Every structure is written in C-alpha cells, then in structure tokens.
C-alpha cells in the first residue's frame, strides 16, 4: 500500500508515546501498591490504591502532554503544509493579521 506525498506517517516514537505514558503510570501504580501492601498487609486496599494511583498518574501525564507547545512539524501538519518552513504564522488569524 503506497502513500500519497501529502499523507502524514507518524514516526515510531510518536506511535509508541502512549505506551510510554501507560508504562509510566503502571510503574507508579506498582510502586504505590508495594508501599501500601507492606504498610497495611491488606490486598484489597492495595489493589484499590494502586488503581487510583494508576488513573491519577495517567491523567496527569496526559494533561502535561496536551499542555506542551507543538513543534514545527506538528504546526505544519495542522496548517496543512508539507514543509514546516511553509507555515506562515500570519495566515492563522492571530494578533496583527488582517483577517
């Protein structure tokens, strides 16, 4: 299957980025679970706290990822241009534009 010249193909790093977030949240959840298990010796409480830690860390990582400023390649993709150098900041209707 061939791609057209204008079709965007994400890099391997972009494809694996969600796996990094889930893996980081899982590591934090396991660490939290181990600490709670050694402290309370209650498996039910450990699973509940580990689940809460997993969800909380995953949400925080997702929010931080959304807060990052897009780089030139992402901006070019949003603008619909092929070359990051083709993106003209004045075309988006920002401050100082005539639109």
């Amino acid at each position: 299957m061939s791609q057209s010249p204008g079709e965007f193909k994400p890099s391997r790093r972009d494809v694996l980025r969600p796996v990094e977030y889930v893996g980081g949240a899982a590591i934090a959840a396991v660490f939290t679970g181990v600490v709670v298990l050694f402290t309370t010796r209650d498996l039910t409480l450990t699973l509940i706290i580990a689940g809460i830690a997993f969800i909380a860390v995953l949400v925080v990582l997702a929010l931080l990822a959304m807060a990052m400023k897009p780089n030139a390649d992402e901006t070019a993709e949003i603008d619909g241009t092929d070359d990051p150098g083709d993106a003209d900041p004045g075309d988006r209707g920002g401050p100082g534009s005539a639109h």
Side-chain angles (χ1 to χ4, degrees), residues 12-52:
R12 183 176 180 190
R13 180 176 170 93
D14 292 335
V15 171
L16 293 178
R17 187 165 293 162
V19 176
E20 293 175 2
Y21 296 148
V22 172
I27 291 170
V30 168
F31 176 76
T32 305
V34 168
V35 170
V36 171
L37 183 63
F38 284 159
T39 304
T40 64
R41 307 277 184 200
D42 185 9
L43 187 60
T44 306
L45 182 63
T46 299
L47 292 175
I48 292 170
I49 298 298
I52 291 171

Side-chain angles (χ1 to χ4, degrees), residues 1-90:
M1 186 171 175
S2 65
Q3 290 183 336
S4 63
E7 187 176 342
F8 175 72
K9 182 171 179 3
S11 67
R12 183 176 180 190
R13 180 176 170 93
D14 292 335
V15 171
L16 293 178
R17 187 165 293 162
V19 176
E20 293 175 2
Y21 296 148
V22 172
I27 291 170
V30 168
F31 176 76
T32 305
V34 168
V35 170
V36 171
L37 183 63
F38 284 159
T39 304
T40 64
R41 307 277 184 200
D42 185 9
L43 187 60
T44 306
L45 182 63
T46 299
L47 292 175
I48 292 170
I49 298 298
I52 291 171
F54 176 78
I55 293 170
V57 170
L58 191 60
V59 167
V60 168
L61 288 175
L63 289 173
L64 288 174
M66 288 189 322
M68 289 181 5
K69 183 177 179 182
N71 62 18
D73 292 333
E74 293 169 341
T75 305
E77 180 186 348
I78 292 169
D79 292 339
T81 58
D82 290 335
D83 185 23
D86 289 345
D88 184 13

